Amino acid sequence: MKKIGLFYGPLGGSTERVAKKVAAALGTDHVDLIPAKESKAADVEKYENVIYGMSTIGKETWDADKPANDWDVFLPEVEKVDYSNKVIAMFGLGDQITYDLHFVDALGVVAERILPKGANIIGKVETEGYDFRESQALIDGKFIGLPVNEDFEPELTDERVNNWIDKIKGEFK
Ligand SMILES: Cc1cc2nc3c(=O)[nH]c(=O)nc-3n(C[C@H](O)[C@H](O)[C@H](O)COP(=O)(O)O)c2cc1C
């Protein structure tokens, strides 16, 4: 397997913790962990295998005038990437108890920017086991990436991450 570039943000919280779990599940030698906010499209283009890791911090943040978080800064770069010949997987931190109408929406926001550019997104996840009402991350009835809830279901994270990686690791180049 060629090296995977795992671009993630924000730093210092649940997203970073889960990024490290994803890297450990793949074998840390196979993964470069890279902060999203410091990255440009050219950094992503160095990799044929890419994982995007993010959290959802509400619609008001996405709609804000000025860049407020790591992914607001990184998203315009993500849109510039040439996705031909790349495999992409995504995971998203969220909380379906407090935000049951916007569960892991960020996954959907990113997917809708890169799917029209031909991105081959692997690792869709069934909704079974997630109790929520609405999510922008659903495409054809499945989550477009792995949802993780470290706020209320941290005991499920390791199993969710490991099952997901087991399913997708053979699909990386
Ligand atoms: C202001 C705020 C807004 C949030 N909005 C959402 C949301 O719309 N949907 C969701 O699934 N989670 C939402 N969350 C939950 C976060 O995604 C969750 O706490 C996540 O683990 C944070 O990751 P971090 O520690 O890496 O920042 C929100 C959290 C905060 C503090």
Side-chain angles (χ1 to χ4, degrees):
M1 181 168 70
K2 291 183 184 165
K3 206 121 199 220
I4 297 170
L6 195 169
F7 295 84
Y8 70 96
L11 307 181
S14 299
T15 306
E16 182 159 54
R17 199 163 51 248
V18 173
K20 289 178 178 165
K21 286 177 188 277
V22 168
L26 284 158
T28 47
D29 290 353
H30 296 297
V31 183
D32 288 333
L33 277 169
I34 306 155
K37 70 174 177 194
E38 290 161 18
S39 301
K40 303 286 179 207
D43 298 310
V44 180
E45 280 170 356
K46 290 177 197 154
Y47 298 90
E48 287 180 40
N49 297 320
V50 173
I51 299 178
Y52 289 143
M54 65 203 73
S55 64
T56 297
I57 304 293
K59 190 175 180 329
E60 68 281 7
T61 309
W62 291 111
D63 290 346
D65 293 343
K66 54 180 187 312
N69 69 32
D70 303 24
W71 268 87
D72 289 322
V73 175
F74 186 45
L75 197 53
E77 297 298 320
V78 160
E79 280 187 282
K80 284 186 216 157
V81 171
D82 174 3
Y83 285 97
S84 51
N85 206 33
K86 279 197 201 313
V87 174
I88 311 291
M90 307 198 293
F91 65 87
L93 274 292
D95 158 13
Q96 76 272 38
I97 310 291
T98 319
Y99 305 96
D100 68 337
L101 293 173
H102 294 282
F103 182 44
V104 292
D105 276 359
L107 287 172
V109 170
V110 175
E112 83 188 11
R113 305 287 181 96
I114 67 175
L115 283 170
K117 298 180 182 295
N120 171 22
I121 303 180
I122 64 165
K124 298 181 186 71
V125 172
E126 302 284 350
T127 56
E128 203 186 332
Y130 295 94
D131 191 11
F132 67 102
R133 283 202 284 169
E134 287 179 27
S135 172
Q136 223 179 310
L138 294 183
I139 296 184
D140 297 333
K142 290 184 183 177
F143 291 111
I144 191 68
L146 176 71
V148 181
N149 182 350
E150 281 281 274
D151 297 349
F152 287 99
E153 300 173 335
E155 71 284 0
L156 299 179
T157 299
D158 285 357
E159 189 186 344
R160 283 174 170 165
V161 167
N162 291 334
N163 287 346
W164 185 62
I165 294 298
D166 278 351
K167 277 198 192 127
I168 67 173
K169 67 181 171 206
E171 294 181 58
F172 286 111
K173 290 169 183 271

